Amino acid sequence: MRRSTLQRKDRGELNQIAAALGAKPSSRARKDEIIQLIIDLTADGARISQPASESRPGDAAPGGSGDADQGPRSAGNAGPAGRDGLQKGEGQATSREDGRSPDRGEDDADTGNRRRRRRNRDRDRDRDDGWDGAPVAIEGRLDLRDEGYGFLRVEGCLPNRNDAYVPVKTIRQYGLRRGDHLTGTSRPANRAEKNPALLTLESINDGPAELSDRRQFESLTPIHAVRRLTLEQPEDPDALAARLIDLVAPIGVGQRVLVSGPRRSGASELLASLITAVEANEPDMFVMGLFLDQRPEDITEVRRCVRNGDVAATSFDQTPEEHVQTAEMTIERVKRLVESGRSVAVVLDSLTSLAQAYNAALSNAGRAYSGNVESGAVHMPKKLFGAGRNVSEGGALTMIASIVSDGSSPLPGVLSDEFVGTANTEIRLDRWAAQLGLFPAIDVSASVSRDEGRFIDADEIQALQDLRRSFTGGAADDPGAVVKSLETALSKLRGTASNAELLR
């Protein structure tokens, strides 16, 4: 067998020829080493018949007999096996006990080669290639891919060149989930890689890096709110928005709160004031602000008002996919906190922007509502908003989200109809009050808390109902009456130092 002839054959054919001669090359043997092994095995005069039609090597037997059932000649006098432990047969080889030929077909060989190449790529990906520098400290949120591996997002929720690759083995070993906050060490990227790679894992969600029996968020038992989320700040009696909400639409820990109103009715400003109130009254509650499709200067203002929590935001010049990625990563992050027993409050502005992002990101192949509104564009915001709940196992997710009640496109109307009845507490904003410069522009008569009797005693509920009637004064349902009721409420709030004094 000439070397030039063997060079033209692929690795699978060479392995078949070596097997027919009674040797089994190592899986790590190089092609040149297999060729040399075949030459050494045929150095004693043995030759493999090669018809002019170039029959397959797996169909030829040594000695030119052409009988597939005949065993190969003895290779006991063959030369050395070569590097990396190429194995040769000892003594006279015989046919396999199952009656099959010892060599494999071309299709099976190609399939095996592909499997080996995939395994080699995985091993090459996970090894450090002899890197011996100092490990680099790293932390971030885990973002998983459908293939099983993931990336540690070190700068927000969007992909970055500094994100660290997390192998499948680590994810399975520790039972990691999307949104987990990880700390550890990493190594720089190799020449063939785009991202650094995680070396060691030190902590998971601020706890030890060990396999824990965490329950899935969806398997936790949702229950009604049993504790009130007080917004009034005793040290700041001029925070009228928080005081007014406590009076007309009290919020419970673990409830879903919907702030609905037309555009430019002050929803963003109201949500920012709620973040400040929650941080002031609930120091143990983690506050997460999620602001999508915002103006950059508004994002800066929101970040400044958040002291102990976190803010995930996207500006209006970013793509719909970036809005969606930011929202999904944020919700997965707070779910992991609730699984560990933490109480979290998410302030989202807005569900309408999120639905618009989903509608733009989805293809038009699916079922759509009238006006070319994708069904998934409505379902995904509902799924995100529905994550708000109080759970019996400990922890709670309070969801406070805004939604636009009108607009030029069909989406706001469809979205508002779909969210009817999903919120425990609804805060309505009024366009006319906002245009007159009243803040907060809350419609006192239309705002309501449906489950306040579960976390407020009966005597206080009766006092609150009497106070609300004094705000409205039995006025008719018209824009002027809404403004008049709000002015009355704000006047009474300014004349007292606390809500308790107002309820006496």
Side-chain angles (χ1 to χ4, degrees):
M1 179 68 68
R2 296 181 180 179
R3 181 180 294 271
S4 59
T5 303
L6 295 175
Q7 289 285 357
R8 291 194 294 269
K9 300 182 180 297
D10 58 24
R11 185 185 179 89
E13 294 175 337
L14 294 176
N15 284 328
Q16 295 167 17
I17 296 174
L21 293 174
K24 183 179 179 182
S26 171
S27 61
R28 296 185 177 181
R30 294 178 300 179
K31 183 177 180 179
D32 291 340
E33 295 171 344
I34 301 176
I35 293 174
Q36 184 60 46
L37 172 62
I38 295 173
I39 294 175
D40 293 339
L41 290 174
T42 57
D44 58 350
R47 293 291 185 270
I48 300 176
S49 61
Q50 294 292 334
S53 59
E54 191 64 21
S55 61
R56 294 191 305 173
D59 296 334
S65 65
D67 187 359
D69 292 333
Q70 181 178 347
R73 294 179 57 185
S74 173
N77 298 326
R83 201 164 59 89
D84 284 345
L86 292 176
Q87 301 175 0
K88 293 182 293 185
E90 297 181 0
Q92 185 72 24
T94 60
S95 300
R96 293 181 51 172
E97 294 182 2
D98 57 4
R100 292 185 298 174
S101 175
D103 48 359
R104 300 167 56 190
E106 289 183 356
D107 294 338
D108 292 341
D110 292 341
T111 303
N113 291 336
R114 284 195 295 269
R115 291 198 190 101
R116 284 192 293 270
R117 285 195 293 268
R118 284 197 296 268
R119 288 196 296 266
N120 291 336
R121 284 197 298 267
D122 293 340
R123 285 195 293 266
D124 292 340
R125 180 65 175 173
D126 294 340
R127 69 184 184 185
D128 58 5
D129 288 345
W131 180 78
D132 58 355
V136 179
I138 191 172
E139 66 174 318
R141 300 175 187 173
L142 179 63
D143 186 11
L144 295 181
R145 297 293 182 88
D146 294 337
E147 294 82 358
Y149 62 90
F151 289 93
L152 201 59
R153 306 297 181 196
V154 296
E155 297 181 11
C157 303
L158 301 179
N160 186 277
R161 291 184 62 88
N162 297 324
D163 296 339
Y165 167 80
V166 183
V168 178
K169 179 181 178 181
T170 302
I171 294 172
R172 293 178 178 176
Q173 178 181 357
Y174 294 97
L176 300 180
R177 301 172 185 172
R178 189 182 188 191
D180 281 333
H181 184 269
L182 310 179
T183 62
T185 61
S186 65
R187 62 164 176 81
N190 294 328
R191 289 180 297 177
E193 299 173 342
K194 294 182 179 179
N195 295 83
L198 186 70
L199 284 179
T200 61
L201 185 60
E202 297 177 354
S203 69
I204 304 173
N205 296 327
D206 299 327
E210 59 185 13
L211 181 60
S212 59
D213 187 16
R214 289 188 294 171
R215 296 190 61 177
Q216 291 282 351
F217 178 84
E218 290 73 17
S219 67
L220 300 176
T221 307
I223 59 175
H224 287 283
V226 296
R227 184 169 68 87
R228 183 174 182 174
L229 180 62
T230 303
L231 300 177
E232 181 184 6
Q233 305 163 61
E235 69 281 358
D236 188 9
D238 294 331
L240 302 183
R243 292 182 59 189
L244 184 58
I245 292 176
D246 276 346
L247 294 175
V248 301
I251 301 174
V253 176
Q255 284 192 332
R256 295 174 299 279
V257 183
L258 200 61
V259 180
S260 62
R263 299 184 186 275
R264 296 182 297 277
S265 58
S268 298
E269 293 80 1
L270 178 61
L271 294 180
S273 64
L274 291 180
I275 291 177
T276 303
V278 173
E279 285 196 326
N281 291 286
E282 299 285 345
D284 295 333
M285 181 176 289
F286 184 83
V287 180
M288 171 64 73
L290 178 56
F291 289 76
L292 305 173
D293 200 16
Q294 301 289 319
R295 296 179 298 182
E297 56 272 17
D298 293 336
I299 296 176
T300 302
E301 291 297 326
V302 172
R303 293 188 186 277
R304 289 175 177 175
C305 75
V306 177
R307 300 176 182 177
N308 303 320
D310 196 5
V311 174
T314 57
S315 57
F316 62 83
D317 58 344
Q318 293 182 257
T319 64
E321 290 76 14
E322 291 175 326
H323 299 321
V324 170
Q325 169 79 0
T326 300
E328 291 182 348
M329 280 288 294
T330 301
I331 295 303
E332 291 300 320
R333 169 61 181 149
V334 299
K335 284 182 178 180
R336 304 291 84 80
L337 293 176
V338 175
E339 290 172 350
S340 61
R342 293 283 301 275
S343 291
V344 184
V346 176
V347 181
L348 169 60
D349 187 19
S350 66
L351 287 169
T352 305
S353 298
L354 180 60
Q356 290 173 341
Y358 272 112
N359 195 47
L362 293 173
S363 65
N364 292 325
R367 181 177 65 88
Y369 292 100
S370 59
N372 198 29
V373 178
E374 290 284 341
S375 58
V378 178
H379 171 70
M380 296 308 297
K382 286 180 66 177
K383 184 177 180 181
L384 185 147
F385 185 69
R389 64 192 64 183
N390 187 30
V391 295
S392 60
E393 291 82 1
L397 175 54
T398 305
M399 177 69 67
I400 306 175
S402 65
I403 187 172
V404 177
S405 59
D406 64 356
S408 57
S409 66
L411 180 59
V414 173
L415 197 63
S416 297
D417 294 340
E418 290 291 324
F419 275 85
V420 172
T422 60
N424 306 102
T425 300
E426 187 171 354
I427 302 172
R428 296 280 186 89
L429 301 181
D430 182 69
R431 181 199 303 268
W432 301 102
Q435 290 180 351
L436 292 174
L438 298 177
F439 179 80
I442 296 178
D443 188 339
V444 176
S445 60
S447 300
V448 61
S449 178
R450 297 181 176 87
D451 299 323
E452 60 182 7
R454 299 181 181 275
F455 50 85
I456 301 178
D457 58 65
D459 294 338
E460 186 177 356
I461 289 179
Q462 184 62 44
L464 288 173
Q465 291 176 350
D466 295 339
L467 181 62
R468 294 164 191 165
R469 282 192 290 268
S470 70
F471 289 162
T472 59
D477 187 13
D478 59 74
V482 173
V483 173
K484 184 178 180 180
S485 299
L486 179 59
E487 289 178 338
T488 302
L490 294 178
S491 176
K492 291 186 177 183
L493 289 173
R494 294 189 183 99
T496 55
S498 66
N499 287 353
E501 180 182 344
L502 188 59
L503 290 173
R504 291 196 187 107

